[in-house]
Amino acid sequence: MKDIKILAIETSCDETSAAIVVNGREVLSNIIASQIDIHTKFGGVVPEVASRMHIEVISAVVQEALDKAELKLTDIDAVGVTYGPGLVGALLVGMQYAKSLAYSIGKPLIGVNHIEGHICANFIEHKDLKPPFVCLVVSGGHSFIVYMKAFGEFEVIGQTRDDAAGEAYDKVARAIGLGYPGGPKIDKLSKEGNADAIKFPRANFHDDTLDFSFSGLKSAVLNYLNKAEMTGQQINRADVAASFQKALVDVLVDNVIKTCKMKEVDKIAIAGGVASNSTLRATLIKEGQKHGIKILFPAPVLCTDNAAMIGSAAYFEYVNGRTADLTLNAVPNLKLGER
Ligand code: KG4
Ligand code: ZN
């Protein structure tokens, strides 16, 4: 069978990225222009600024992806693009660019769900991985436990009822003065702290659900900090970071292992920015060993937003005949499995 080369574009948040991916698994190039330095000044992503930055760099990023792969536009078989969920203005920049490219080379356009892209990062890292498996998707905007039954078939088993895992990391990091993005900073600082120093709550729902919640945990950290300030008590930031992280990771790991038992699956893949967290990885591996479950994760560069993962997801849509036309629109709150 002929190799399928997909040019993929991702602009759903604050990374402008373009990649060339062959047959959904082999990455020829994956160019990522991060806007993090600009948004750091504001303590988080400013949507309008993100859209403008995407416009400024997208042409150069796409060209670099082609150059690095040593391909011309005419060598491409299809153009894949994230059409949701994400920031509407940011999504539109990538989509307009992708539509124009697909039209100009007369090749199909494929709309990709960003969350599906995060999951598919695992197909790049693990060349033989096939569904069924359970995937824990934990990023700045989303937290889901997903059962991937077959290629392109997803069942959401649990999700956050409020804050996403990455959002909780970012908010707690800001409260203890670590800055944005908080996840990697808490990850690092926690190594110097005692994770059992402070007992932060784990949300339990009494309705047989595998949903989870992090806003109570975040509030508990904020209350702890306020109380310490009012009473003049010195806080140990590393202990706060490590204890917060343990509470969050415990809930995720518990629920994802329960999902595997329920679905009788022996593989967990993790995805999204928080999937590069060292405590989450170590805890999952330890619990996985106890329960005979294999834990798979992508390299950190494939965990955070990137176009290679979109190129992988686009390939599986393409082989299932799911291409889009030029009326494809951005869907900021696109759900997983929705088309
Ligand atoms: O997947 P991603 O790049 O963007 C979204 O689609 O949201 O995830 C970004 C999130 C941020 O909240 C960041 O703080 C978090 O991932 N993150 C981490 C780590 N690296 C990134 N959280 C915990 N530990 C890390 N090592
Ligand atoms: Zn993402």
Side-chain angles (χ1 to χ4, degrees):
M1 215 173 89
K2 175 184 176 296
D3 281 345
I4 302 299
K5 299 186 199 75
I6 294 188
L7 165 62
I9 296 179
E10 154 65 39
T11 61
S12 67
C13 192
D14 60 342
E15 259 99 27
T16 319
S17 183
I20 313 283
V21 181
V22 183
N23 299 337
R25 306 255 186 188
E26 195 195 333
V27 179
L28 299 187
S29 60
N30 186 22
I31 309 300
I32 305 164
S34 171
Q35 308 176 356
I36 223 150
D37 293 346
I38 296 145
H39 298 293
T40 299
K41 292 187 197 128
F42 302 99
V45 177
V46 184
E48 185 55 29
V49 174
S51 314
R52 285 167 192 268
M53 293 302 297
H54 287 311
I55 293 173
E56 281 182 27
V57 302
I58 191 155
S59 295
V61 168
V62 169
Q63 191 55 52
E64 200 179 331
L66 285 164
D67 291 347
K68 182 138 189 249
E70 297 181 2
L71 292 176
K72 298 187 293 302
L73 255 183
T74 46
D75 298 322
I76 298 301
D77 297 294
V79 180
V81 64
T82 308
Y83 74 108
L87 303 168
V88 67
L91 286 166
L92 283 171
V93 177
M95 288 190 60
Q96 291 308 332
Y97 206 88
K99 283 186 192 180
S100 317
L101 280 183
Y103 180 73
S104 68
I105 57 174
K107 292 287 160 69
L109 176 74
I110 303 156
V112 174
N113 181 313
H114 180 81
I115 309 297
E116 195 172 324
H118 274 302
I119 297 172
C120 290
N122 283 285
F123 295 128
I124 297 173
E125 192 72 42
H126 309 287
K127 304 292 181 209
D128 301 323
L129 176 64
K130 287 191 190 82
F133 58 86
V134 169
C135 189
L136 173 66
V137 190
V138 271
S139 74
H142 316 277
S143 297
F144 293 105
I145 297 173
V146 178
Y147 172 52
M148 188 172 185
K149 219 175 160 163
F151 285 108
E153 270 186 63
F154 306 93
E155 187 186 337
V156 176
I157 306 291
Q159 57 188 303
T160 179
R161 297 234 177 139
D162 36 62
D163 292 354
E167 192 181 350
Y169 265 100
D170 293 337
K171 285 177 179 167
V172 167
R174 192 184 308 165
I176 57 174
L178 292 179
Y180 175 85
K185 294 182 171 131
I186 290 195
D187 194 358
K188 192 162 166 228
L189 183 63
S190 294
K191 296 193 192 337
E192 297 159 26
N194 172 6
D196 298 314
I198 310 154
K199 288 267 164 290
F200 288 130
R202 278 95 169 129
N204 273 319
F205 295 112
H206 299 287
D207 54 3
D208 279 342
T209 167
L210 289 171
D211 281 354
F212 35 90
S213 155
F214 296 128
S215 84
L217 169 60
K218 175 196 68 192
S219 302
V221 176
L222 297 181
N223 287 342
Y224 175 87
L225 296 172
N226 285 339
K227 207 165 146 202
E229 196 183 336
M230 281 189 321
T231 56
Q233 182 201 334
Q234 273 284 8
I235 64 145
N236 180 326
R237 293 197 313 167
D239 284 353
V240 175
S243 302
F244 153 77
Q245 175 164 271
K246 182 158 195 279
L248 183 141
V249 165
D250 280 354
V251 169
L252 290 175
V253 171
D254 249 29
N255 287 14
V256 78
I257 299 270
K258 278 185 191 145
T259 305
C260 277
K261 301 266 163 207
M262 189 173 94
K263 292 289 180 189
E264 297 180 346
V265 164
D266 62 358
K267 270 179 284 181
I268 297 173
I270 55 176
V274 184
S276 42
N277 183 266
S278 55
T279 298
L280 176 62
R281 289 181 175 210
T283 314
L284 268 175
I285 290 170
K286 195 168 128 223
E287 289 303 307
Q289 271 164 357
K290 272 193 217 158
H291 297 271
I293 298 167
K294 192 169 174 197
I295 311 297
L296 304 160
F297 35 79
V301 67
L302 294 172
C303 286
T304 44
D305 290 350
N306 68 89
M309 66 185 198
I310 303 303
S312 175
Y315 171 78
F316 295 108
E317 293 291 299
Y318 178 89
V319 292
N320 279 316
R322 288 192 287 260
T323 57
D325 61 31
L326 297 179
T327 62
L328 182 74
N329 209 347
V331 184
N333 57 357
L334 182 67
K335 304 275 177 295
L336 193 64
E338 197 177 88
R339 290 199 166 83

